[in-house]
Structure formats: structure tokens, C-alpha cells
Amino acid sequence: MIHMVKLCVGISSFEELESYRNERAHWWGADYGEGVHVHRTRMMPKRAAEMEGKSSIYWVIAGAICCRQVIERLAPYRDAEGKDYCDIIMSPELIRTIPYPKRPFQGWRYLEPKDAPPDMAANSRENSGEIAAELARLGLL
């Protein structure tokens, strides 16, 4: 199993990603049914078989990995101009993680399970994400 990590470009907070996801559930114009979120990226992962139904995409927001979504499957997509893409079909649930600092990069990267940040406890206080992000930024988490 291998995870994926991707920058959440143009999004500045977990709440903004939640809002964006809810508003644009079918923005990509591909119909994968209700109850999924789709993100389109340029390259199909070579390790796709290790990811489908087992892995997550970890989102980097404002310089830190702060949440993840379960990858249900990866689907090839070809646009009207003949360009190939990969549709990442994910569970709509956003799962907060302990924020881990992550420098900017282009595209997406693989993330080994041992390097993935743990999920934040379900009973965490609402502002604990901000506190954890600051502790991570200071190198204390």
C-alpha cells in the first residue's frame, strides 16, 4: 500500500476545502455517481493497483498536511483535445490529521504509510487543529 500527497492549491484552510468540495462535487464533468469527490490530475500513478480502495490522498494546505480522503479508485480520463488525465475518485469524507509541515512541490508525490500523519482524535477540540499546526511548525510535533 502507498498513499498520495498533493498540494491543495488556492485553498487556505480545512474549512475552505470542505466548502469547495461540497460546492464543486461534480465540477470536473465526469459522472462517477453520487457520494464521491473527484480530483483530476495529469498523471496516472504507476502504483495505482496499490492505492485503489486502500490508500488516501493527503492534502497539503498552507504548508502542512492537514487532512486526507480515502481513494476509492483511479480512472483514466481523456479530454476533447485528446489529453490524458487521471481522475482520483475519493470518499467525500475529509479526515483531519495531525498537521505535518510539508514544503511546496509540483504535482503529487507518493507517501509511505510510515510517513503519513496520524488522524486527529474524533473528540479533539475544534481549535486543536490550529494548535497542532503551530506546534508542528515549531517542530514540536
Side-chain angles (χ1 to χ4, degrees), residues 12-15 59 61-67 95-101 117-138 141:
S12 61
S13 69
F14 175 85
E15 292 75 21
W59 293 108
I61 300 174
I65 296 173
C66 69
C67 62
I95 302 162
R96 284 185 184 260
T97 64
I98 300 294
Y100 274 30
D119 293 348
M120 197 174 282
N123 60 357
S124 315
R125 292 186 359 207
E126 191 170 311
N127 68 349
S128 63
E130 294 170 15
I131 294 168
E134 182 63 16
L135 290 173
R137 188 187 69 73
L138 295 169
L141 260 184

Side-chain angles (χ1 to χ4, degrees), residues 41-61:
T41 190
R42 188 72 175 98
M43 302 299 293
M44 174 68 79
K46 289 182 178 29
R47 298 174 71 178
E50 292 178 62
M51 301 172 92
E52 293 181 313
K54 304 173 231 168
S55 302
S56 292
I57 183 167
Y58 284 78
W59 293 108
V60 177
I61 300 174

Side-chain angles (χ1 to χ4, degrees), residues 1-82:
M1 176 174 68
I2 191 82
H3 297 296
M4 180 184 284
V5 63
K6 184 150 180 43
L7 293 179
C8 207
V9 179
I11 301 293
S12 61
S13 69
F14 175 85
E15 292 75 21
E16 188 176 349
L17 175 60
E18 240 178 355
S19 171
Y20 176 85
R21 178 208 55 202
N22 292 336
E23 290 172 11
R24 301 205 183 237
H26 299 285
W27 187 69
W28 294 109
D31 186 13
Y32 295 105
E34 295 296 319
V36 296
H37 178 226
V38 178
H39 180 77
R40 184 164 290 153
T41 190
R42 188 72 175 98
M43 302 299 293
M44 174 68 79
K46 289 182 178 29
R47 298 174 71 178
E50 292 178 62
M51 301 172 92
E52 293 181 313
K54 304 173 231 168
S55 302
S56 292
I57 183 167
Y58 284 78
W59 293 108
V60 177
I61 300 174
I65 296 173
C66 69
C67 62
R68 68 182 180 90
Q69 285 179 277
V70 174
I71 297 172
E72 293 183 3
R73 65 188 180 100
L74 301 164
Y77 179 85
R78 180 168 287 155
D79 71 7
E81 297 172 5

